[in-house]
Amino acid sequence: MRRVLVTGAARGLGAALVHGFRERGDAVLATDRVTAEGVDLALDITVPEDWAAARAAVEERWGGLDVLVNNAGVAGGGRLDVATLDEWRWITEINLFGVVQGTATFVPVFKRQRSGHVVNVGSLAGLVHPAGMASYNAVKAAVVALTETTGHELAPWGVRASVVCPSYFRTDLISSMQGRDEALSGVIADLVAGAPLGPDEIAVAVLAGIDAGDELILPDEAGRAAYALKLGDRPAYDATMRRQAARLQALG
Ligand SMILES: NC(=O)c1ccc[n+]([C@@H]2O[C@H](COP(=O)([O-])OP(=O)(O)OC[C@H]3O[C@@H](n4cnc5c(N)ncnc54)[C@H](O)[C@@H]3O)[C@@H](O)[C@H]2O)c1
Protein backbone atom coordinates (compact mmCIF):
# COMPACT_ATOMS: atom_id res chain seq x y z
CA MET A 1 0.00 0.00 0.00
CA ARG A 2 1.42 3.34 -1.06
CA ARG A 3 0.35 6.79 0.12
CA VAL A 4 -0.34 8.91 -2.96
CA LEU A 5 -1.33 12.54 -3.58
CA VAL A 6 -2.70 13.40 -7.04
CA THR A 7 -3.33 16.98 -8.24
CA GLY A 8 -5.96 17.84 -10.83
CA ALA A 9 -7.98 14.78 -9.85
CA ALA A 10 -11.50 16.06 -10.54
CA ARG A 11 -11.54 14.62 -14.06
CA GLY A 12 -9.41 13.45 -16.97
CA LEU A 13 -6.09 11.73 -16.35
CA GLY A 14 -6.00 12.74 -12.68
CA ALA A 15 -9.32 11.03 -11.94
CA ALA A 16 -8.23 7.95 -13.93
CA LEU A 17 -4.97 7.74 -11.97
CA VAL A 18 -6.81 8.01 -8.64
CA HIS A 19 -9.07 5.16 -9.74
CA GLY A 20 -6.09 3.07 -10.87
CA PHE A 21 -4.12 3.59 -7.65
CA ARG A 22 -7.16 2.77 -5.50
CA GLU A 23 -7.91 -0.40 -7.48
CA ARG A 24 -4.45 -1.61 -6.50
CA GLY A 25 -5.09 -0.91 -2.83
CA ASP A 26 -3.08 2.32 -2.57
CA ALA A 27 -4.30 5.14 -0.31
CA VAL A 28 -4.93 8.29 -2.35
CA LEU A 29 -5.58 11.92 -1.52
CA ALA A 30 -7.39 13.27 -4.59
CA THR A 31 -6.99 17.03 -4.91
CA ASP A 32 -8.16 19.68 -7.36
CA ARG A 33 -8.69 23.40 -7.70
CA VAL A 34 -12.40 22.74 -8.17
CA THR A 35 -14.55 20.79 -5.75
CA ALA A 36 -16.16 17.81 -7.42
CA GLU A 37 -17.26 14.31 -6.62
CA GLY A 38 -14.19 12.26 -5.82
CA VAL A 39 -12.07 15.23 -4.74
CA ASP A 40 -10.89 14.92 -1.11
CA LEU A 41 -9.06 18.22 -0.74
CA ALA A 42 -9.15 21.65 -2.40
CA LEU A 43 -5.67 22.36 -3.77
CA ASP A 44 -4.97 25.05 -6.33
CA ILE A 45 -1.41 24.26 -7.36
CA THR A 46 -0.62 27.96 -7.85
CA VAL A 47 -1.41 28.83 -4.22
CA PRO A 48 1.38 28.33 -1.64
CA GLU A 49 -1.07 28.20 1.29
CA ASP A 50 -2.96 25.36 -0.43
CA TRP A 51 0.28 23.37 -0.73
CA ALA A 52 1.09 23.98 2.94
CA ALA A 53 -2.39 22.76 3.89
CA ALA A 54 -2.00 19.70 1.66
CA ARG A 55 1.28 18.80 3.33
CA ALA A 56 -0.31 19.24 6.77
CA ALA A 57 -3.23 17.01 5.73
CA VAL A 58 -0.87 14.33 4.44
CA GLU A 59 1.28 14.43 7.59
CA GLU A 60 -1.79 14.21 9.81
CA ARG A 61 -3.44 11.44 7.83
CA TRP A 62 -0.45 9.26 7.01
CA GLY A 63 2.68 10.70 8.62
CA GLY A 64 4.39 10.74 5.20
CA LEU A 65 3.94 10.31 1.45
CA ASP A 66 5.20 7.75 -1.06
CA VAL A 67 4.10 9.19 -4.42
CA LEU A 68 3.39 12.81 -5.40
CA VAL A 69 1.64 13.03 -8.77
CA ASN A 70 1.84 16.56 -10.20
CA ASN A 71 -0.86 16.06 -12.83
CA ALA A 72 -2.92 19.28 -12.82
CA GLY A 73 -2.43 21.42 -15.89
CA VAL A 74 -4.10 23.55 -18.53
CA ALA A 75 -3.93 23.77 -22.31
CA GLY A 76 -2.39 26.73 -24.05
CA GLY A 77 -0.47 27.73 -27.09
CA GLY A 78 -0.81 30.07 -29.99
CA ARG A 79 1.41 31.23 -32.80
CA LEU A 80 4.45 33.31 -31.84
CA ASP A 81 3.07 36.59 -33.15
CA VAL A 82 -0.45 36.02 -31.82
CA ALA A 83 -0.03 34.69 -28.27
CA THR A 84 0.41 37.39 -25.64
CA LEU A 85 2.98 37.60 -22.86
CA ASP A 86 0.15 37.37 -20.34
CA GLU A 87 -0.80 34.01 -21.84
CA TRP A 88 2.81 32.85 -21.41
CA ARG A 89 2.73 33.99 -17.78
CA TRP A 90 -0.62 32.28 -17.15
CA ILE A 91 0.46 28.87 -18.46
CA THR A 92 3.87 29.10 -16.77
CA GLU A 93 2.25 29.91 -13.44
CA ILE A 94 0.13 26.76 -13.59
CA ASN A 95 1.96 24.15 -15.66
CA LEU A 96 5.48 24.91 -14.45
CA PHE A 97 5.39 26.87 -11.18
CA GLY A 98 2.54 24.68 -9.88
CA VAL A 99 4.78 21.63 -10.31
CA VAL A 100 7.75 23.47 -8.82
CA GLN A 101 5.69 24.37 -5.73
CA GLY A 102 4.39 20.83 -5.29
CA THR A 103 7.87 19.39 -5.56
CA ALA A 104 9.40 21.92 -3.15
CA THR A 105 6.58 21.29 -0.64
CA PHE A 106 7.17 17.55 -0.41
CA VAL A 107 10.95 17.32 -0.87
CA PRO A 108 11.55 17.82 2.89
CA VAL A 109 9.13 14.95 3.59
CA PHE A 110 10.87 12.68 1.07
CA LYS A 111 14.33 13.60 2.38
CA ARG A 112 13.25 12.89 5.96
CA GLN A 113 11.86 9.50 4.93
CA ARG A 114 14.78 8.78 2.63
CA SER A 115 12.21 7.52 0.12
CA GLY A 116 9.55 8.84 -2.23
CA HIS A 117 8.64 9.26 -5.87
CA VAL A 118 7.78 12.48 -7.72
CA VAL A 119 5.69 11.82 -10.84
CA ASN A 120 5.24 14.87 -13.05
CA VAL A 121 2.74 14.82 -15.88
CA GLY A 122 4.51 16.58 -18.70
CA SER A 123 3.54 16.00 -22.30
CA LEU A 124 4.99 14.70 -25.53
CA ALA A 125 5.11 18.44 -26.29
CA GLY A 126 7.95 18.61 -23.77
CA LEU A 127 10.05 16.35 -26.00
CA VAL A 128 8.90 17.16 -29.54
CA HIS A 129 7.82 20.70 -30.28
CA PRO A 130 5.19 21.31 -32.95
CA ALA A 131 4.64 24.78 -34.42
CA GLY A 132 1.89 26.93 -32.98
CA MET A 133 2.31 25.69 -29.41
CA ALA A 134 5.42 27.50 -28.19
CA SER A 135 4.22 28.33 -24.66
CA TYR A 136 2.84 24.85 -23.97
CA ASN A 137 5.92 23.20 -25.50
CA ALA A 138 8.26 25.40 -23.48
CA VAL A 139 6.63 24.86 -20.09
CA LYS A 140 6.32 21.11 -20.67
CA ALA A 141 9.99 20.95 -21.72
CA ALA A 142 10.76 22.76 -18.48
CA VAL A 143 8.79 20.08 -16.60
CA VAL A 144 10.93 17.42 -18.31
CA ALA A 145 14.09 19.26 -17.18
CA LEU A 146 12.71 19.81 -13.68
CA THR A 147 11.95 16.10 -13.36
CA GLU A 148 15.39 14.99 -14.49
CA THR A 149 16.96 17.48 -12.07
CA THR A 150 14.74 16.20 -9.26
CA GLY A 151 15.82 12.62 -9.95
CA HIS A 152 19.52 13.54 -9.85
CA GLU A 153 19.29 15.89 -6.88
CA LEU A 154 17.28 13.53 -4.68
CA ALA A 155 19.05 10.29 -5.64
CA PRO A 156 21.27 10.49 -2.52
CA TRP A 157 18.07 10.22 -0.43
CA GLY A 158 16.72 7.29 -2.44
CA VAL A 159 13.96 9.45 -3.99
CA ARG A 160 12.94 8.88 -7.61
CA ALA A 161 11.38 11.13 -10.24
CA SER A 162 9.44 10.27 -13.39
CA VAL A 163 7.99 12.42 -16.14
CA VAL A 164 4.93 11.30 -18.09
CA CYS A 165 4.90 12.40 -21.74
CA PRO A 166 1.65 11.42 -23.47
CA SER A 167 0.58 12.41 -26.94
CA TYR A 168 -2.97 13.77 -27.30
CA PHE A 169 -5.64 11.81 -25.43
CA ARG A 170 -9.36 12.48 -25.11
CA THR A 171 -10.27 14.70 -22.12
CA ASP A 172 -11.85 18.08 -21.49
CA LEU A 173 -8.40 19.69 -21.31
CA ILE A 174 -9.30 22.12 -24.10
CA SER A 175 -12.02 23.72 -21.98
CA SER A 176 -9.16 25.19 -19.90
CA MET A 177 -7.53 26.77 -22.94
CA GLN A 178 -7.15 30.54 -23.03
CA GLY A 179 -5.64 32.68 -25.69
CA ARG A 180 -5.96 35.07 -28.55
CA ASP A 181 -5.10 32.48 -31.20
CA GLU A 182 -8.56 30.98 -31.52
CA ALA A 183 -7.84 29.34 -34.88
CA LEU A 184 -4.91 27.45 -33.38
CA SER A 185 -7.01 26.48 -30.36
CA GLY A 186 -9.48 24.91 -32.78
CA VAL A 187 -6.71 22.80 -34.34
CA ILE A 188 -5.60 21.52 -30.93
CA ALA A 189 -9.21 20.87 -29.86
CA ASP A 190 -9.68 18.64 -32.92
CA LEU A 191 -6.47 16.72 -32.14
CA VAL A 192 -7.55 16.07 -28.53
CA ALA A 193 -11.13 15.14 -29.51
CA GLY A 194 -9.92 12.80 -32.26
CA ALA A 195 -7.20 11.09 -30.23
CA PRO A 196 -7.35 7.28 -30.24
CA LEU A 197 -6.88 6.81 -26.48
CA GLY A 198 -8.72 8.10 -23.43
CA PRO A 199 -7.44 8.83 -19.91
CA ASP A 200 -8.11 5.34 -18.55
CA GLU A 201 -5.77 3.72 -21.08
CA ILE A 202 -3.11 6.36 -20.45
CA ALA A 203 -3.45 5.83 -16.68
CA VAL A 204 -2.85 2.07 -17.01
CA ALA A 205 0.41 2.73 -18.87
CA VAL A 206 1.44 5.43 -16.39
CA LEU A 207 0.93 3.10 -13.42
CA ALA A 208 3.01 0.42 -15.17
CA GLY A 209 5.76 2.99 -15.79
CA ILE A 210 5.71 4.08 -12.13
CA ASP A 211 6.01 0.44 -11.01
CA ALA A 212 8.90 -0.10 -13.39
CA GLY A 213 10.62 3.02 -12.01
CA ASP A 214 10.86 4.51 -15.49
CA GLU A 215 12.26 8.02 -15.50
CA LEU A 216 10.57 8.78 -18.82
CA ILE A 217 7.08 7.34 -19.23
CA LEU A 218 5.81 7.43 -22.81
CA PRO A 219 2.36 5.88 -22.38
CA ASP A 220 1.19 5.68 -26.00
CA GLU A 221 2.53 4.42 -29.30
CA ALA A 222 2.12 7.73 -31.14
CA GLY A 223 4.34 9.43 -28.60
CA ARG A 224 6.95 6.68 -28.61
CA ALA A 225 7.12 6.81 -32.41
CA ALA A 226 7.41 10.60 -32.57
CA TYR A 227 10.18 10.74 -29.97
CA ALA A 228 12.05 7.84 -31.57
CA LEU A 229 11.90 9.68 -34.92
CA LYS A 230 13.41 12.80 -33.35
CA LEU A 231 16.23 10.86 -31.71
CA GLY A 232 16.87 8.51 -34.61
CA ASP A 233 16.30 10.56 -37.74
CA ARG A 234 16.43 14.28 -37.08
CA PRO A 235 16.07 15.37 -40.73
CA ALA A 236 12.88 13.29 -41.11
CA TYR A 237 11.55 14.68 -37.82
CA ASP A 238 12.27 18.26 -38.91
CA ALA A 239 10.58 17.63 -42.26
CA THR A 240 7.47 16.32 -40.49
CA MET A 241 7.36 19.34 -38.19
CA ARG A 242 7.83 21.76 -41.11
CA ARG A 243 4.96 20.12 -43.03
CA GLN A 244 2.73 20.59 -39.98
CA ALA A 245 3.90 24.21 -39.69
CA ALA A 246 3.12 24.82 -43.35
CA ARG A 247 -0.45 23.62 -42.79
CA LEU A 248 -0.89 26.33 -40.13
CA GLN A 249 -0.50 28.94 -42.90
CA ALA A 250 -4.06 28.11 -43.88
CA LEU A 251 -5.22 29.57 -40.56
CA GLY A 252 -4.34 33.01 -41.91
N1 LIG B 1 -5.30 15.52 -22.81
C1 LIG B 1 -4.19 15.58 -23.53
O1 LIG B 1 -4.20 15.50 -24.75
C2 LIG B 1 -2.86 15.73 -22.81
C3 LIG B 1 -1.69 15.40 -23.52
C4 LIG B 1 -0.45 15.52 -22.89
C5 LIG B 1 -0.40 15.94 -21.57
N2 LIG B 1 -1.54 16.26 -20.91
C6 LIG B 1 -1.41 16.72 -19.52
O2 LIG B 1 -2.15 15.85 -18.67
C7 LIG B 1 -2.50 16.55 -17.47
C8 LIG B 1 -3.97 16.29 -17.18
O3 LIG B 1 -4.74 16.85 -18.24
P1 LIG B 1 -6.15 16.27 -18.71
O4 LIG B 1 -6.06 16.05 -20.15
O5 LIG B 1 -6.61 15.18 -17.81
O6 LIG B 1 -7.02 17.63 -18.52
P2 LIG B 1 -8.38 17.97 -17.74
O7 LIG B 1 -8.65 19.39 -18.05
O8 LIG B 1 -9.43 16.95 -18.02
O9 LIG B 1 -7.95 17.81 -16.20
C9 LIG B 1 -7.09 18.73 -15.59
C10 LIG B 1 -7.50 18.91 -14.14
O10 LIG B 1 -6.59 19.85 -13.56
C11 LIG B 1 -7.34 20.76 -12.76
N3 LIG B 1 -6.62 22.03 -12.64
C12 LIG B 1 -6.43 23.00 -13.57
N4 LIG B 1 -5.77 24.03 -13.03
C13 LIG B 1 -5.52 23.70 -11.73
C14 LIG B 1 -4.89 24.36 -10.66
N5 LIG B 1 -4.38 25.59 -10.78
N6 LIG B 1 -4.80 23.72 -9.46
C15 LIG B 1 -5.32 22.49 -9.31
N7 LIG B 1 -5.98 21.83 -10.28
C16 LIG B 1 -6.07 22.44 -11.48
C17 LIG B 1 -8.68 20.92 -13.48
O11 LIG B 1 -9.69 21.39 -12.58
C18 LIG B 1 -8.92 19.49 -13.98
O12 LIG B 1 -9.65 18.72 -13.04
C19 LIG B 1 -2.16 18.03 -17.73
O13 LIG B 1 -0.94 18.34 -17.08
C20 LIG B 1 -2.00 18.10 -19.25
O14 LIG B 1 -1.13 19.13 -19.64
C21 LIG B 1 -2.76 16.16 -21.48
Side-chain angles (χ1 to χ4, degrees):
M1 197 274 286
R2 289 169 300 188
R3 302 159 297 177
V4 185
L5 186 151
V6 180
T7 68
R11 66 183 195 198
L13 180 58
L17 285 170
V18 169
H19 179 72
F21 279 117
R22 287 203 175 124
E23 274 209 319
R24 302 142 54 108
D26 293 327
V28 186
L29 193 64
T31 73
D32 203 287
R33 180 173 57 88
V34 299
T35 47
E37 199 187 327
V39 173
D40 305 312
L41 185 76
L43 166 57
D44 183 327
I45 61 166
T46 67
V47 177
E49 293 78 15
D50 284 8
W51 277 112
R55 179 178 164 178
V58 161
E59 297 271 22
E60 189 186 320
R61 186 181 287 213
W62 296 320
L65 188 73
D66 300 307
V67 187
L68 168 66
V69 185
N70 286 309
N71 162 75
V74 291
R79 284 162 289 172
L80 293 161
D81 50 349
V82 185
T84 67
L85 198 53
D86 278 346
E87 291 167 25
W88 277 84
R89 291 194 178 102
W90 169 76
I91 200 166
T92 305
E93 193 62 44
I94 301 168
N95 286 9
L96 176 58
F97 293 160
V99 180
V100 170
Q101 286 198 60
T103 304
T105 299
F106 281 98
V107 163
V109 175
F110 293 146
K111 281 184 170 175
R112 187 188 72 216
Q113 297 173 168
R114 302 195 72 84
S115 68
H117 194 163
V118 181
V119 179
N120 294 331
V121 178
S123 169
L124 182 65
L127 300 171
V128 309
H129 312 304
M133 293 177 56
S135 61
Y136 189 80
N137 294 345
V139 290
K140 290 298 190 180
V143 169
V144 172
L146 171 67
T147 313
E148 184 187 321
T149 309
T150 303
H152 295 319
E153 189 169 320
L154 300 187
W157 285 269
V159 178
R160 287 179 298 156
S162 303
V163 66
V164 179
C165 293
S167 183
Y168 299 106
F169 58 93
R170 291 185 312 275
T171 65
D172 289 332
L173 180 68
I174 294 307
S175 66
S176 68
M177 193 151 183
Q178 294 185 8
R180 231 160 50 109
D181 198 343
E182 289 175 11
L184 196 279
S185 300
V187 172
I188 298 174
D190 288 346
L191 289 167
V192 172
L197 300 181
D200 294 338
E201 292 144 303
I202 298 293
V204 168
V206 171
L207 289 169
I210 293 173
D211 287 348
D214 293 344
E215 288 169 18
L216 173 60
I217 301 174
L218 287 160
D220 55 87
E221 186 46 43
R224 287 190 288 274
Y227 191 45
L229 181 66
K230 181 174 182 178
L231 295 180
D233 188 348
R234 185 63 191 246
Y237 163 80
D238 285 341
T240 305
M241 288 293 174
R242 302 288 160 96
R243 278 197 297 276
Q244 179 258 348
R247 284 199 293 275
L248 294 187
Q249 284 181 308
L251 298 180

